[in-house]
Amino acid sequence: AAEAGGQGTSLACPSCDLVFDVSDLVDGETARCSRCGHFLTRYRADELNRVMAFSVSALILLVLASSYPFMAFRASGLENLMTLPQAALELWRNDMPDLALLVAAFIILIPAAVLILIVILVGALMMQRQYAFLPALGRLIFTLQNWSMVEVFFIGVLVSLVKISHMATVTLGI
């Protein structure tokens, strides 16, 4: 990458703060800092299409994951299937409304909100529209991503599965 000096897109190296002009990158080309070698960016000509496709796919998969049982317990001839919304609902029914709301928010609502906001942001960028709310929307997406804790939930589920596997047959679903 060449050092910045023109009218193009500039990036500062996060390691050493040297500024570079990355406007001349071609599809698939990467830029690295000439001072410290830190990776700066990779240009992809179809980046907005990719982000939109991944976001819509993730929304579809979130709907599927919320619709189908993710876990089944079998013990003593009884079987219990559980979906993601049912996990929060069972906590509510067992007099833990605070935990139920947190589980619902962190594993369903916030991830869904992040994906919907990404689709809105990328849709506006694909249509080349400049709305005043887009920078705030981008900041909101980055803030909400920190609170999306699906992976933490599933680690907790896996730990629970190990602990109860000797008492019941547990099957993971979609």
Side-chain angles (χ1 to χ4, degrees), residues 90-112:
E90 286 301 317
L91 289 168
W92 187 277
R93 287 182 187 153
N94 289 309
D95 297 324
M96 294 183 260
D98 296 339
L99 186 58
L101 291 174
L102 290 174
V103 166
F106 292 148
I107 66 170
I108 300 170
L109 300 176
I110 292 175

Side-chain angles (χ1 to χ4, degrees), residues 140-154:
L140 179 61
I141 290 168
F142 280 105
T143 301
L144 286 177
Q145 281 179 334
N146 293 326
W147 292 100
S148 176
M149 300 191 183
V150 176
E151 63 280 355
V152 174
F153 174 75
F154 280 108

Side-chain angles (χ1 to χ4, degrees), residues 69-83 86-87 90 93-94 164 168-173:
F70 78 93
M71 191 181 317
F73 297 98
R74 279 183 221 92
S76 304
L78 299 173
E79 182 177 14
N80 188 10
L81 300 173
M82 187 173 292
T83 63
Q86 283 175 331
E90 286 301 317
R93 287 182 187 153
N94 289 309
I164 65 169
T169 303
V170 181
T171 307
L172 289 177

Side-chain angles (χ1 to χ4, degrees), residues 1-5 8-14 16-23 31-38 40:
E3 289 187 37
T9 305
S10 297
L11 277 179
C13 175
C16 68
D17 289 333
L18 188 61
V19 178
F20 292 92
D21 178 12
V22 293
S23 62
R32 293 192 172 275
C33 179
S34 60
R35 182 186 296 166
C36 67
H38 188 82
L40 298 174

